[in-house]
Amino acid sequence: MQTLRELFTKLPIIKHDDKILLLTHTDLDGEGAVILLNSLFENVTVKRCSNAVMDKEIRNAIQPEIINNYDKIVICDISCTKETADLIRYNPYMDKIILIDHHKTAMYLNNYPFAVVYSDMVSDSFRADIYYDENDWPNAHSSATGLLYDYLDITGHTARFGNRYLARLFTHLVSCYDTWDWVNIFNKTETAPIALNNLFHIYGHKLFDEHMIDKLTDKKATDLIDETDTLLLKIDQYKREETIEKASKSIKTGILTIDNKTYSIAICFINEHMNSVFEYMKTEYPDTDIQIIITPRSINMRTAKNDIDISVIAKQAGGGGHPQASGITIDYRDQMDFIANAMNATITLD
């Protein structure tokens, strides 16, 4: 495990009055970066990028007509190809670029002076103290939000949080959820991470940002999830149960063959409450290797098997993610062609 200094001293330092362009992912971990930066800096422009467009958007951001308008461009929870990284390396404004990510599929970017990609726990992060059992250390992970907080900490910005306690709690919960540590290390005993992610989807980007920024900047705030949030979560839980009941009637099992490797799968089509349905699929179909949920614009995969890395599968089609949770953004009309052709795969359902 590396230290804050070993990781971040090569990166440029954001100044308090910098004009910042943030390119980030569309999920909770990506939104965590939005909330941390907007809680500390007054001039932040946000562009959210799906896996399918992130490389294109990063290339666009380094064009003179864009990069000249900002003091710093922060790229968080997304990555770029080696070709785009080379363009950044030789860009005259490279010292404006800060890329922070935690996906193992992007580790090659550590060879560049503007990027830090690290999936393990940072040894002197404030989050390390939360993983109090030394047996947890080999399996503890960093999220993009967690790494961004660590970067802001070593560069002296976190002292300016109006409510540093809630800023740290928020960062930990986002990290725990995104890395699945709340399941694999905390054995689901810590339920706040999934509650926070549910709130993100209930409120949507704009309201969730406003709600969390208010708390991270309010010295008097004591609860990250308040009474109103709890009521909304209760209502949402009823809706989740309805979705699970509908999904349970449409789940199919079968076989997925990729590159001469065969996996047993459970698959269904839904467009909401995916995490709850994934948990149901893992419980009801424990013998399957991979669980798949297809929405009108994405293919989402999960596995509980430590010897299966589905991020490698997703990367073959331009997606990415984690070894146990990955996805591909793809239009519905192309999904069946993708399964048949893009991954040289065949599916046979029972």
Side-chain angles (χ1 to χ4, degrees):
M1 293 183 180
Q2 292 186 266
T3 66
L4 295 176
R5 189 165 300 281
E6 288 170 339
L7 286 169
F8 297 115
T9 50
K10 72 174 184 177
L11 297 181
I13 297 175
I14 302 175
K15 297 178 182 177
H16 180 58
D17 57 352
D18 273 349
K19 187 177 182 182
I20 301 168
L21 172 63
L22 170 64
L23 303 180
T24 190
H25 201 208
T26 56
D27 64 0
L28 177 64
D29 195 21
E31 207 63 27
V34 177
I35 290 164
L36 291 185
L37 289 182
N38 274 289
S39 297
L40 293 172
F41 303 97
E42 295 182 359
N43 200 339
V44 180
T45 300
V46 177
K47 190 167 189 64
R48 298 174 181 85
C49 311
S50 67
N51 290 332
V53 302
M54 60 186 181
D55 187 70
K56 177 184 176 182
E57 293 296 346
I58 292 172
R59 283 195 180 216
N60 288 341
I62 63 174
Q63 299 306 309
E65 60 270 23
I66 296 180
I67 200 169
N68 283 333
N69 294 323
Y70 298 95
D71 299 301
K72 296 290 186 301
I73 294 181
V74 179
I75 303 165
C76 201
D77 200 34
I78 59 175
S79 61
C80 59
T81 61
K82 185 180 184 299
E83 290 75 18
T84 298
D86 287 336
L87 290 176
I88 297 174
R89 186 201 291 271
Y90 298 111
N91 190 295
Y93 300 103
M94 186 191 71
D95 60 352
K96 290 186 175 185
I97 307 293
I98 299 168
L99 188 152
I100 296 175
D101 192 20
H102 67 124
H103 297 99
K104 287 186 176 181
T105 51
M107 292 287 284
Y108 59 89
L109 291 173
N110 284 318
N111 295 321
Y112 296 85
F114 57 85
V116 167
V117 182
Y118 195 65
S119 62
D120 295 333
M121 177 65 67
V122 183
S123 63
D124 53 348
S125 169
F126 81 91
R127 294 186 60 239
D129 293 335
I130 302 172
Y131 291 71
Y132 48 84
D133 188 335
E134 63 181 22
N135 294 322
D136 293 337
W137 277 87
N139 301 311
H141 299 98
S142 289
S143 70
T145 296
L147 289 172
L148 179 61
Y149 186 100
D150 288 333
Y151 162 80
L152 294 169
D153 200 19
I154 196 172
T155 55
H157 290 294
T158 57
R160 296 190 294 106
F161 277 115
N163 195 319
R164 195 176 185 186
Y165 165 74
L166 289 187
R168 290 188 169 206
L169 178 60
F170 172 79
T171 299
H172 171 62
L173 295 183
V174 170
S175 299
C176 242
Y177 178 79
D178 191 71
T179 61
W180 227 238
D181 280 0
W182 76 280
V183 173
N184 296 326
I185 291 181
F186 294 98
N187 299 315
K188 301 183 185 179
T189 57
E190 188 170 352
T191 58
I194 196 167
L196 189 67
N197 184 68
N198 291 344
L199 281 176
F200 169 54
H201 291 287
I202 292 169
Y203 281 117
H205 293 286
K206 187 175 185 297
L207 289 178
F208 184 74
D209 292 351
E210 293 175 356
H211 194 48
M212 290 297 131
I213 291 168
D214 283 347
K215 298 197 175 195
L216 270 56
T217 56
D218 183 359
K219 293 181 180 179
K220 296 181 180 179
T222 57
D223 299 313
L224 195 64
I225 298 175
D226 57 31
E227 291 183 2
T228 300
D229 298 332
T230 301
L231 176 60
L232 289 173
L233 287 168
K234 186 175 183 179
I235 295 171
D236 185 61
Q237 181 59 32
Y238 288 126
K239 295 180 179 179
R240 288 177 185 279
E241 291 170 359
E242 290 179 351
T243 300
I244 290 172
E245 183 177 358
K246 291 178 182 177
S248 67
K249 299 175 182 178
S250 64
I251 295 171
K252 300 291 185 180
T253 59
I255 299 297
L256 169 65
T257 302
I258 304 173
D259 294 336
N260 296 320
K261 294 182 179 179
T262 298
Y263 306 94
S264 59
I265 62 170
I267 185 169
C268 72
F269 296 77
I270 62 165
N271 198 29
E272 58 183 350
H273 302 314
M274 283 196 299
N275 293 313
S276 296
V277 177
F278 270 129
E279 284 301 298
Y280 173 84
M281 293 168 78
K282 288 179 182 178
T283 301
E284 295 298 315
Y285 302 90
D287 294 331
T288 56
D289 297 317
I290 301 173
Q291 298 80 44
I292 301 173
I293 291 177
I294 299 180
T295 78
R297 294 191 61 82
S298 65
I299 297 174
N300 309 274
M301 297 179 287
R302 301 287 188 273
T303 182
K305 305 291 180 67
N306 292 325
D307 58 343
I308 297 176
D309 187 346
I310 54 176
S311 69
V312 175
I313 298 173
K315 190 177 180 181
Q316 289 180 256
H322 307 286
Q324 294 185 306
S326 292
I328 306 112
T329 301
I330 184 170
D331 288 338
Y332 177 78
R333 62 182 177 274
D334 297 327
Q335 288 175 5
M336 293 302 104
D337 288 340
F338 155 71
I339 295 174
N341 300 316
M343 291 167 50
N344 190 26
T346 59
I347 289 185
T348 303
L349 296 180
D350 293 341

